[in-house]
Structure formats: structure tokens, C-alpha cells
Amino acid sequence: MDNQQNTTLLSILFNESLDAILILDLKTQKFIIFNKKALELYNYTEEEFKNITPQDLTLEFISKERIQKKQKNILEKGWDKFVTKHKTKDGKAINVLIKSKKIELVPNSPLLYITVHNLEKEKELEVEFQTIFHSSRDGIAIIDLNGNFVKFNDSFKNLSEYTYEELLNFSSFQLFSEISKEKIKIAIDEVIKNGYIENFETTFITKYGKSMAIYITMNLMPNQEQILLIVRNFTNLKLLELEKRFESLNELVQNIAHQWKQPLSTISIIASNIKLQKELDLYDYSGLNEDMNKIVNISNELSKTINNFDTMIFENFEKSYGIYELITEILKEMETIFIQNNITVLTKFTLDYKIYVDKIKFSQAIINILNNSIETFLENETQNRVISISTDSVDNHLRLKIEDNAGGIDENILPKIFEPYFTTKHQTQGKGLGLTNTYKTIVKIYKFLLTVNNCEILIDDKKYQGLSVTITF
């Protein structure tokens, strides 16, 4: 590196320093060089600072003679470090750490190289830390590298069920089982090596032998001699998760009932017709196989619904899934239904996007939309039935669009389709919960944007009226 590069580098370091840097001419008692941080710290302009002396900056009452004596001591010693109070241009007091060193650019003309570190921010951070430490609902403790307690908040004490004196007189390892102790020791070694460990799961044992599942986050303190522990009891979170699981199961059962109602009605109609025609000696036995095949196919679909429920129920509730992955899996599951109802499904995925959702809930929401199209096809006796599923980008958000050519919905009814128990079908065909649950899942739970509009869909150069459901993530 040549001299010019060295000069440039030093200039950058000088001006980008987080501390104020000053060079004092001892003869004139003026600062001949200073960086931008010095001007910001003391709130002076560059021209004003050229006329400032050390005595103008100090808040303490120090005579000119005492300042000169202190400077003489620094010259003799070669350096010094001390904490003092300075003042800004507007008289505001600031606590500062001064580091001063003798430099000599010209023989027999010594200068003082001074760095000024503002301690006010550190005091603010300390106050903020103490506030969080004592008011947090999470248990917070500070231990030394051997696991002994140095400090802890009330939440930690209450969690452990020990008194202050008891906690201060034994190791933090005593709060864990023998197996967990070894894990904690390994975790501490990792913290010492890497600086932190996050959401370490283990079992906590209280004074009275109560076990609880906890998450521990550990951070190495700046002094490198202590570790900050944040302990979160997630036993209650587990209970909330269980409640959530039961709520999801309840919704899923409702959705299954909704899906089963129409097929069961169809089976009932077929069976009733056979029975009635047989009693009247009008039944044509040549159609028996066809009727039985219909019942078997419908029964298989009902069985498949239960099997899907059985396999999905043990999956983790919320994971990251790609839109393409989810939709492809749903279409595969519904393939037989589409074939039986002569429905063509067109897909065009120009974009994919990962979402963090409960797979069961989200998939059922999409199935409800598709079932609504299928039921409308059957109700309107639509010919050349098509469902189009595509993705595109809107304002940097992925949009999933599901469209059909089933004729659309009356504009007066459109705003009501997400209302509970609202249905355009006969009561034997639906309960009106499908799209309501879709709205609840997409909008209320996951905060995605859901819109429904009548649309015009182009198929083989021919325009059809239909319904467009869009979800924007």
C-alpha cells in the first residue's frame, strides 16, 4: 500500500470513527484537527470549534493552571485515561471517557491526540436494560461461566419457586435434571465459543419438584465473563397449541360434514329410487350395475376424504409450503371428482411463493372454493366445464387466481357468499359453511387478501361468464 492509499485510509478512519477525535496544540491550546463526530458531540460548527479551548469544553470548575498541570502529567507519562463531565455548546452536560496520548509530528512541538467517548448512550442502554430485566414476564438471569447465579429478575425467581438467597447460593445446574445438566453444559460451551444460542429446549425443575418445558436463549455478555439467560415457560404455549389443534379439528369435521352431505344425499336418492321402483315392479335390472357403480364410486370418495384426514392430522400444524406444491397436491386428491364431473382443470404457475400455514386448514380453504365451482357446474348444468388456476404478481405480491365458467353469481348475492349459513343451494346440498370457513382461514387467521368477482373467461376463443376468486399473499 503506497503513501497516498495510507493517507486516504487514515482519513476515512478518522472521519468515520464513532468517537470524537481531537488533536490539541499545547502551545495555542486550540484544536488544530477534529473529526465530524466531535462537531456532532459538542454541537459546534467547524469555524466555531477552531476557537474552542479544553477549558471551554469542561463542565467541572478547573483553573487554567490545573489544566496545564494535567497536560504536563500526560506529556511526562505519555498517555492518560479518565472519566469526566463535558458540556455542549448549549450547556448540556455529558459524561465522557477521555483517552489522551502524546504525539510529536515536529521535534520539540508535542501535541495531544485525544479521543472522547460519549458515555450517555451507554447509560441510556443500561437504564433500558434494567427496565426490561425487571419488568419482563420471561425469567431473566445472569450467570458466570461456571453456572453460578450473579443476578436474576422476579419472574425467574417465581418460575423457580426458590428465594433470592437460595438461588444465589447454588449453581443454575441444580434447576435441571441430570440429563438436562449435560445439555446445559454443552450449550454454555457453545455460547462461550459462538456468543449465543437461541431457543434451546429443555426441562426445568422447580424447588418443589415441578417439571416444566422451557426455551432458553443464552447470550455472552460484553465482559466475556458472564452469560445472560432468558427462560420462557412454553408449557402454557403447548396448551394453547393443543386448543388450537382441537379448534382446527372441529373446523375440519365441519368441512368433512359439508363435503359428505351432497354425496350421501346422492346415495340416498339412488337407493330410494331402486327401492321404490322395485316395490312398484318398475325397476329395470339392466341398470342395476350402473347404479351400484355410482354408489361404490361415491363411497370410495367418502372413504378417501377420511383417509386424507387421517394422514394429514398428524402433520405439524404450521410449516412453510410452496403455493405450487399445495395446489398440485389438492388437484391430485380431487382428480377423480373432476373426471366424474367432466371438469377440465387448466393451470398456469408463472410464480411460486412459500407461505407459513396450517396445511390442513389452507388446503381445505382451497378445496371449498373448488367444491363451490363443482356444485355450481352441476346446479347450472354447465357444458364444457373448465376451472382455471394461475399465479401472477401484483405490487410485488403473489396472487393466486381460481376461475370457472359456471355462469357466475347474481351481483346482489355476491357480497353475502362469505356469510355463515348463506347458500344458494337447496338445504340438502349444502350447509353454507364452506366459503365462510375459507374466508375465516384466508382472511381472519392468515391475513391474506381474498376477493371474489364475476368474470369473463376465454376458452378456445369463446367467452364464458364465471366466478373469479383471488388470494393475494
Side-chain angles (χ1 to χ4, degrees):
M1 189 178 289
D2 57 30
N3 289 335
Q4 185 176 356
Q5 288 176 315
N6 282 328
T7 303
T8 302
L9 179 60
L10 289 172
S11 176
I12 292 171
L13 293 173
F14 183 80
N15 284 304
E16 296 301 323
S17 171
L18 297 176
D19 292 330
I21 300 177
L22 314 168
I23 295 181
L24 178 68
D25 185 335
L26 292 171
K27 291 181 180 178
T28 63
Q29 289 296 301
K30 297 290 176 67
F31 297 107
I32 57 173
I33 300 176
F34 42 84
N35 65 355
K36 290 186 291 185
K37 198 66 180 179
L39 300 178
E40 292 173 9
L41 179 63
Y42 295 106
N43 202 25
Y44 284 99
T45 66
E46 189 172 344
E47 289 302 315
E48 288 172 334
F49 211 85
K50 289 177 180 177
N51 297 311
I52 293 296
T53 67
Q55 196 165 9
D56 294 323
L57 297 181
T58 183
L59 189 67
E60 298 173 317
F61 182 76
I62 301 177
S63 65
K64 185 177 180 181
E65 289 73 20
R66 282 189 60 191
I67 289 178
Q68 289 176 344
K69 183 178 179 181
K70 191 169 187 67
Q71 290 173 352
K72 184 180 178 182
N73 289 337
I74 295 172
L75 290 177
E76 291 173 354
K77 186 179 177 183
W79 67 277
D80 198 6
K81 180 175 78 170
F82 56 92
V83 174
T84 186
K85 285 185 178 291
H86 275 190
K87 61 183 177 182
T88 64
K89 176 184 175 181
D90 53 5
K92 180 183 176 183
I94 51 174
N95 290 286
V96 293
L97 170 65
I98 303 292
K99 294 180 181 178
S100 187
K101 182 175 177 61
K102 170 188 171 184
I103 59 173
E104 205 165 342
L105 302 178
V106 178
N108 301 318
S109 298
L111 306 171
L112 286 185
Y113 176 87
I114 304 166
T115 61
V116 185
H117 181 67
N118 185 4
L119 298 175
E120 292 301 307
K121 190 65 177 177
E122 292 179 10
K123 283 199 167 188
E124 290 175 13
L125 290 173
E126 176 63 22
V127 171
E128 187 177 338
F129 173 78
Q130 292 299 333
T131 302
I132 294 171
F133 186 89
H134 291 293
S135 64
S136 174
R137 292 184 180 182
D138 292 330
I140 302 178
I142 297 174
I143 61 172
D144 62 26
L145 301 184
N146 295 316
N148 300 312
F149 286 107
V150 176
K151 189 177 182 180
F152 43 83
N153 65 359
D154 285 340
S155 295
F156 188 93
K157 178 185 76 69
N158 295 336
L159 196 68
S160 72
E161 298 182 335
Y162 286 94
T163 65
Y164 284 105
E165 292 74 18
E166 287 171 331
L167 283 173
L168 288 172
N169 285 307
F170 65 71
S171 168
S172 61
F173 297 126
Q174 291 178 248
L175 295 172
F176 304 96
S177 65
E178 289 301 320
I179 295 175
S180 295
K181 281 179 187 177
E182 293 305 314
K183 291 181 179 179
I184 294 294
K185 288 176 182 177
I186 293 170
I188 287 177
D189 289 339
E190 186 176 333
V191 172
I192 294 170
K193 181 180 177 182
N194 299 321
Y196 73 97
I197 188 170
E198 191 173 8
N199 287 339
F200 176 77
E201 185 177 339
T202 187
T203 303
F204 192 81
I205 300 174
T206 70
K207 177 180 179 179
Y208 301 108
K210 190 190 301 177
S211 294
M212 63 179 70
I214 61 167
Y215 282 134
I216 298 181
T217 295
M218 302 185 189
N219 289 278
L220 191 63
M221 299 286 281
N223 61 17
Q224 305 290 303
E225 295 176 355
Q226 295 172 338
I227 294 173
L228 178 73
L229 303 182
I230 301 175
V231 177
R232 177 166 295 174
N233 178 7
F234 71 95
T235 303
N236 291 334
L237 295 177
K238 289 278 187 183
L239 291 174
L240 288 173
E241 185 180 330
L242 193 58
E243 286 180 18
K244 184 179 175 184
R245 181 176 288 267
F246 280 122
E247 182 185 342
S248 294
L249 289 176
N250 182 50
E251 288 180 10
L252 195 57
V253 169
Q254 285 186 4
N255 282 322
I256 289 172
H258 178 69
Q259 284 183 257
W260 272 35
K261 191 145 186 133
Q262 183 181 342
L264 286 174
S265 176
T266 304
I267 291 174
S268 178
I269 291 169
I270 293 171
S272 296
N273 283 339
I274 293 173
K275 183 180 178 183
L276 179 61
Q277 290 180 41
K278 187 175 181 299
E279 287 175 353
L280 297 173
D281 291 326
L282 298 174
Y283 187 69
D284 182 0
Y285 282 89
S286 64
L288 181 62
N289 284 338
E290 184 181 350
D291 287 337
M292 290 301 103
N293 285 335
K294 285 181 181 178
I295 291 175
V296 169
N297 289 336
I298 293 170
S299 300
N300 287 338
E301 286 302 319
L302 294 177
S303 178
K304 188 176 179 181
T305 302
I306 290 298
N307 289 336
N308 289 338
F309 164 76
D310 193 41
T311 54
M312 289 193 298
I313 200 62
F314 295 105
E315 292 187 6
N316 287 339
F317 260 53
E318 291 193 345
K319 286 184 179 179
S320 180
Y321 299 96
I323 297 295
Y324 176 80
E325 171 193 359
L326 287 170
I327 300 300
T328 301
E329 192 172 314
I330 291 167
L331 295 181
K332 188 175 181 182
E333 289 174 11
M334 297 184 70
E335 186 176 10
T336 304
I337 298 174
F338 293 136
I339 292 171
Q340 287 176 347
N341 291 284
N342 299 314
I343 298 169
T344 300
V345 179
L346 305 175
T347 59
K348 185 180 180 182
F349 292 92
T350 56
L351 290 172
D352 198 8
Y353 186 83
K354 283 194 176 292
I355 53 174
Y356 195 75
V357 292
D358 174 341
K359 183 179 179 181
I360 300 174
K361 279 187 178 179
F362 185 81
S363 296
Q364 190 58 54
I366 300 299
I367 290 170
N368 289 340
I369 295 170
L370 295 171
N371 278 337
N372 189 72
S373 292
I374 294 169
E375 290 166 1
T376 309
F377 281 139
L378 298 176
E379 184 181 355
N380 295 343
E381 297 182 353
T382 307
Q383 302 298 313
N384 193 22
R385 301 165 182 173
V386 174
I387 294 175
S388 171
I389 303 176
S390 61
T391 59
D392 61 4
S393 178
V394 178
D395 298 329
N396 295 322
H397 291 274
L398 181 136
R399 179 174 62 182
L400 174 68
K401 187 180 292 186
I402 303 173
E403 297 177 319
D404 63 39
N405 65 333
I409 296 178
D410 187 324
E411 291 289 343
N412 295 322
I413 294 174
L414 201 57
K416 301 178 183 179
I417 64 172
F418 293 124
E419 293 179 6
Y421 302 102
F422 177 80
T423 177
T424 60
K425 308 171 191 67
H426 189 274
Q427 282 303 309
T428 58
Q429 291 179 284
K431 290 165 59 179
L433 288 172
L435 291 180
T436 300
N437 287 333
T438 292
Y439 181 85
K440 182 179 179 182
T441 299
I442 300 298
V443 178
K444 297 294 186 181
I445 296 178
Y446 293 116
K447 312 302 181 188
F448 302 140
L449 178 64
L450 176 66
T451 57
V452 179
N453 295 291
N454 284 317
C455 69
E456 197 171 66
I457 182 170
L458 187 67
I459 302 169
D460 296 331
D461 297 325
K462 187 175 179 181
K463 293 180 180 178
Y464 295 87
Q465 296 300 312
L467 193 70
S468 175
V469 180
T470 61
I471 304 170
T472 307
F473 303 94

